[in-house]
Amino acid sequence: MKFVTRLTLLISFTMLLGATLDVSAEQIPLKAWIHDPVIDSVNVSPDAKHLIGLTLTDVNSAPQVTIWDASNLAADPVFWSPKDVKPLLVQWVNDETFLVYGRQKYDYRYAGRNTKWFRDKIYFVTFSAKKQKITKSREILASKEKVGVQIENLLPLKKDKVLIQVTNLEFASDLYEVDLRENTEKRVYRGSPRNSAITNAWGEVVLKTNIETGEPGTRIDFSYKHPETGEWEVHHSLMAKGGKGLQPVAFDPDGVQVYVVDNTTSDKSVIRKYDLISRKLSEPVFADEGVEATGVLVGGRVDNFGKILGYVMTGAKTTRVFTDEREKALHDLIYSALPKDQVHRISSMSTDGSLIVVRSSGPTEPGAYYLFKNRQEVLPLGREFPYLEPKKLSRMEYVEYKARDGLVIPGYLTKPSAGKPPYPAVVMPHGGPWARDFYGWDLWAQFLANRGYAVLQPQYRGSEGWGTKLWRAGDNEWGQKMQDDKDDGAQWLVEQGIAAKDRIAIYGYSYGGYAAMAAVVRPNSPYQCAIAGAGLSELRTFEKITFDSRFGREFQSATIDGLSPLDHVEDASIPIYIFHGDRDQRVPVDQSRKFYKALEKAGKTVEYNEIPDLWHSLPWWPTHHINVLGNLEEYLAERCGPGGL
């Protein structure tokens, strides 16, 4: 695979992209950005005899499940595909069985109306090493009425069983234990819209969440099974108002201690231990004054199963701190052998540790796979996007600037690798708004930088992952102080000499689409144009969505107030390009339709593109990417402001 198989994939893919693809040019052709990964989801069987993954041999077809002989990677692989389903993930369950997780379009009728949606499916497939062929496949939980299905736990210590989570038509989550040998499906937990279950590494339901109202306020109660009596007891809560509380993230193998993220005592969250018998909370076991402590690393392989390996902290970069010396030594070995300024994650490891599959990614690397043999030899298995050459892509920098009221706003800056400043620039706020951007691969930022634009991704007030102060500063400031942060970012680009004052645009998706809509109607816009993807044009709609949930009424609905762009179309002062998918159920497509029609009626400069079969979140299909990126490139270059940006 290092040479022959990988080369075969790349040769065939060159033909599919077309002979005119000029890979020597600095501007990478659009075709190289929009396809599915050429190789993806690679992992090794427990017995180290086979590799499995998803490969792409035709840009107009779905990826194929591909199985290689690990002892002879140059040999012809075995292919398999589920019917009418696009596979998104493949994973060995035991030495001869793997699962395939896929998605297909699906329309259903709910609450009296037809809904355009999609549904996920999971298949279990048996592979005969002796015959080198697929001998059996079946879709699991096929008879259950559901809107979603996902893998809860592969139960690596139980070779013939897996735990699957099913979201039913009432949007409640049930858990099923599937026995591959007996071909049975047993429900082990029945959820409801108000409660759900959380399992430990062994797949045991050890924690239940329940939404409650009344004193001391709406909250999520966390109940645990007492280690000695087996009785379920409420131990702590996450309050809806203010979002303060303890949130469990891992369970100690002793069954008594729970690791929780605590945001109640400082701006940045810390990790503590909570004792289920004494009900006492420890001093922080992991904290850093400048970053958020966000998670606990728990072993999932046979050699470290259930063991606490370290902690995760998130600031400008996401960092893993290992407390387990054996795991630290393994990761140090991997990092010493692979490219710098990338994140390397173990995708899988054989039971004996002789084969390790590692996925690597970074700001200039969308994804690459490597095989470590006996921890001495490293074989490159392939890159997900072979024509996105890292040397032609751009560095991502962490930056900070001050908003007009003095609040420090973090951000990420990606400048073109060619040309000189001042550049044309794009301010690109993330979705959410209770979310954040991360240091690493970003398709849109890299695409725009490759087209000559400097891209600023502001972590405006309301963003999560930067501390409580920045997060809660966005409450009820939609289109107001939250919007000031983006505009002040545009001004910072000019002051730093990075961007020209009359060559800045704003582009966002989801909440970012809302921000682009708001930018159009606010006075003194610093932008030449706006591009709004799947944006929310009237806040009262989002308030209704979150109001449907008891918890959401106090947790987020109460924080949504400010500017509704739809109410101010007469004030629109810059052109806008709007796009939205007709299968979007997160932000209804009607939000963009209404804003477009109102702007058009008011005589404003507006364009609208409704994309068939596009849903809200990734992964998207190539047809979606080429529509979004192609129109984005053309609009910025030709119609953003007078004569293009």
Side-chain angles (χ1 to χ4, degrees), residues 47 51 113 156 301 307 338 386 418 464 474 485 511 570 574 598 630:
D47 61 6
L51 294 180
R113 66 185 181 95
R301 304 190 305 268
K307 188 176 182 180
L338 297 181
E464 282 188 318
D485 295 344
Y511 168 85
E570 295 292 341
I574 61 173

Side-chain angles (χ1 to χ4, degrees), residues 28 109 136 198 201 292 294 313 342 446 454 456 466 508 548 592 611 642:
I28 302 171
R109 190 168 181 81
K136 183 172 61 175
I198 297 176
E292 297 260 53
T294 54
M313 60 181 181
Q342 293 183 19
Q446 288 294 337
L456 177 67
W466 301 95
D548 286 341
S592 287
I611 302 176

Side-chain angles (χ1 to χ4, degrees), residues 566-588:
L566 186 62
D567 298 337
H568 300 274
V569 292
E570 295 292 341
D571 298 324
S573 59
I574 61 173
I576 182 171
Y577 164 64
I578 303 168
F579 69 90
H580 213 127
D582 67 356
R583 284 185 180 272
D584 195 332
Q585 297 299 323
R586 182 76 55 81
V587 178

Side-chain angles (χ1 to χ4, degrees), residues 289-467:
E289 188 174 315
V291 299
E292 297 260 53
T294 54
V296 175
L297 299 169
V298 182
R301 304 190 305 268
V302 174
D303 65 322
N304 62 16
F305 194 78
K307 188 176 182 180
I308 304 301
L309 305 178
Y311 304 97
V312 181
M313 60 181 181
T314 305
K317 296 183 179 181
T318 299
T319 306
R320 296 186 298 173
V321 179
F322 289 97
T323 55
D324 182 83
E325 290 301 322
R326 183 180 176 188
E327 198 68 16
K328 182 179 183 302
L330 174 58
H331 281 76
D332 286 347
L333 173 67
I334 290 171
Y335 270 76
S336 68
L338 297 181
K340 309 300 180 186
D341 197 36
Q342 293 183 19
V343 174
H344 313 298
R345 296 286 185 261
I346 295 175
S347 296
S348 68
M349 182 188 296
S350 60
T351 302
D352 63 5
S354 63
L355 293 183
I356 303 173
V357 176
V358 175
R359 183 182 183 273
S360 177
S361 66
T364 60
E365 176 52 76
Y369 288 92
Y370 298 88
L371 181 65
F372 280 69
K373 299 182 69 175
N374 299 313
R375 309 195 184 192
Q376 295 179 339
E377 184 180 5
V378 183
L379 300 177
L381 298 177
R383 299 181 58 239
E384 295 177 6
F385 292 83
Y387 289 114
L388 299 185
E389 299 180 37
K391 65 181 180 181
K392 295 181 182 178
L393 299 174
S394 300
R395 291 178 57 245
M396 174 183 274
E397 306 171 45
Y398 172 75
V399 298
E400 293 179 349
Y401 61 91
K402 282 190 176 181
R404 63 193 66 180
D405 63 358
L407 185 65
V408 175
I409 306 299
Y412 295 102
L413 176 66
T414 305
K415 293 184 292 189
S417 58
K420 295 181 179 180
Y423 308 101
V426 176
V427 174
M428 192 170 73
H430 60 74
W434 288 0
R436 59 160 289 168
D437 291 306
F438 292 90
Y439 183 86
W441 175 252
D442 190 292
L443 172 65
W444 288 341
Q446 288 294 337
F447 177 78
L448 290 169
N450 185 253
R451 266 45 183 173
Y453 301 99
V455 182
L456 177 67
Q457 296 172 266
Q459 307 305 290
Y460 51 85
R461 68 194 72 202
S463 300
E464 282 188 318
W466 301 95

